[in-house]
Amino acid sequence: MVNSRYPQFKFTWIGGLVLLAGLFVGMMFVSFLITFSKIIFEQNIALKDWFLMLSNAIVFLSAIAAFDFIIVRRTTGKKLNFNFSPTNFNTYLLVFPLMLGMMFISEFITAQIPTTGPVFGDLYEYFNDLMAQLTDDPIIMIITAVIMAPIFEETIFRGIIQKGLMNNGVEPWKAIVFSSIVFGLVHGNPWQFVGAVLLGCVLGLVYYKTKSLLLPMLLHGFNNLCSTLLVTYTKNESFADAFKIPEWTLLLIGIIIFSLFYYLFVKKNKIHYLEI
């Protein structure tokens, strides 16, 4: 793209290693802060609710900064920068129902994965306990899951990986699927993996069509907000349980909503700007 104000960096296996190295450095710094607080202040800040937000920010920012300084600036001469332009209002009316439809579909598919048994049972119990220990503060949970996670994760998975792959000549659908699979893998369990891959494909499609990272961030925040509200008020991250309907009914509704708005978004909707 000629005279683009956004760096046309490429994502390769080297870039992947740089992101991993940045994540590792961030985690080491978080560990240092925890150890330092125990020695100097004689308290474990890892148990503080606010430290969850801080540690997430440190780890993600470390990875993004590493990719920016080592890959982007050295290969393009520009700093890492993305298009956050809002698009025409009709697009918002299409992408949110599109996302909701896929959320319903992914819930049904995820529900088919066993949560009992010698392997899945122990793993499911472990991750449930892990999530329960993260924070009891709904404000901290919302800030972390609904605001911070969408910003950092979309920057890495859609902004860096997906866009970098497409800049490197990878077909858009392959870049979308690959970044979504990696997005699913980092969640570390089969239940979140399924949802992350499916929803990641929607986020990737929206980013590819609109060229704006703002929309995937808003949709990601919308998904996490729904999950947070379900967990907070129903104690179960399930639309089917919240609406008191069978899972197959939720699946059918999801397919209808997703199919309709996918057609309208991909085939009918015209984006009113281009990334320049």
Side-chain angles (χ1 to χ4, degrees):
M1 198 171 292
V2 180
N3 296 325
S4 172
R5 55 183 165 178
Y6 304 107
Q8 300 304 296
F9 58 88
K10 297 179 180 179
F11 185 83
T12 64
W13 65 270
I14 296 176
L17 291 179
V18 170
L19 280 178
L20 287 175
L23 288 171
F24 179 76
V25 171
M27 289 187 290
M28 290 300 98
F29 185 70
V30 169
S31 298
F32 167 77
L33 290 178
I34 294 173
T35 303
F36 182 81
S37 70
K38 288 180 178 179
I39 296 174
I40 303 301
F41 302 106
E42 297 183 348
Q43 61 175 321
N44 186 2
I45 60 175
L47 301 178
K48 304 293 184 180
D49 286 336
W50 57 264
F51 190 72
L52 172 66
M53 294 191 300
L54 177 64
S55 58
N56 279 340
I58 290 172
V59 172
F60 281 117
L61 286 174
S62 177
I64 295 169
F67 191 85
D68 181 20
F69 284 97
I70 298 176
I71 302 295
V72 179
R73 301 193 187 207
R74 291 182 58 190
T75 59
T76 69
K78 300 178 181 180
K79 65 180 180 179
L80 190 63
N81 188 23
F82 298 102
N83 180 13
F84 295 101
S85 301
T87 185
N88 44 298
F89 185 69
N90 287 344
T91 301
Y92 294 91
L93 297 179
L94 298 178
V95 296
F96 278 91
L98 178 72
M99 187 68 171
L100 184 63
M102 182 56 80
M103 289 163 61
F104 290 168
I105 294 171
S106 66
E107 177 178 314
F108 176 85
I109 297 176
T110 301
Q112 310 314 305
I113 303 176
T115 56
T116 58
V119 177
F120 285 101
D122 293 340
L123 186 62
Y124 185 74
E125 184 177 346
Y126 169 77
F127 279 105
N128 263 356
D129 292 341
L130 184 64
M131 294 300 293
Q133 294 172 7
L134 289 179
T135 178
D136 293 325
D137 189 331
I139 302 300
I140 297 294
M141 183 184 297
I142 289 176
I143 294 174
T144 303
V146 181
I147 299 175
M148 293 177 58
I151 292 175
F152 292 134
E153 292 178 6
E154 291 310 302
T155 297
I156 291 177
F157 294 103
R158 254 57 65 180
I160 291 178
I161 298 179
Q162 178 181 315
K163 181 180 179 180
L165 288 172
M166 290 192 293
N167 287 343
N168 202 25
V170 176
E171 292 182 63
W173 74 268
K174 291 181 180 179
I176 291 171
V177 171
F178 179 82
S179 62
S180 298
I181 291 174
V182 177
F183 179 51
L185 288 173
V186 299
H187 284 77
N189 67 84
W191 301 276
Q192 289 182 311
F193 171 80
V194 172
V197 171
L198 293 176
L199 298 173
C201 286
V202 173
L203 296 171
L205 172 66
V206 171
Y207 183 45
Y208 169 63
K209 287 281 291 181
T210 66
K211 306 297 187 296
S212 173
L213 203 56
L214 174 64
L215 273 74
M217 287 181 176
L218 292 176
L219 291 174
H220 194 150
F222 170 67
N223 171 75
N224 288 4
L225 176 62
C226 290
S227 298
T228 300
L229 292 176
L230 286 172
V231 170
T232 302
Y233 294 105
T234 70
K235 307 304 180 183
N236 192 352
E237 194 175 343
S238 170
F239 285 105
D241 288 349
F243 297 151
K244 308 300 181 183
I245 60 175
E247 291 178 351
W248 66 266
T249 303
L250 187 73
L251 172 64
L252 182 59
I253 294 172
I255 292 175
I256 293 172
I257 294 175
F258 177 80
S259 301
L260 173 61
F261 285 93
Y262 176 86
Y263 173 77
L264 294 174
F265 175 63
V266 174
K267 302 297 183 180
K268 295 295 185 180
N269 190 54
K270 303 297 181 183
I271 307 301
H272 292 176
Y273 68 88
L274 294 176
E275 182 181 37
I276 59 175

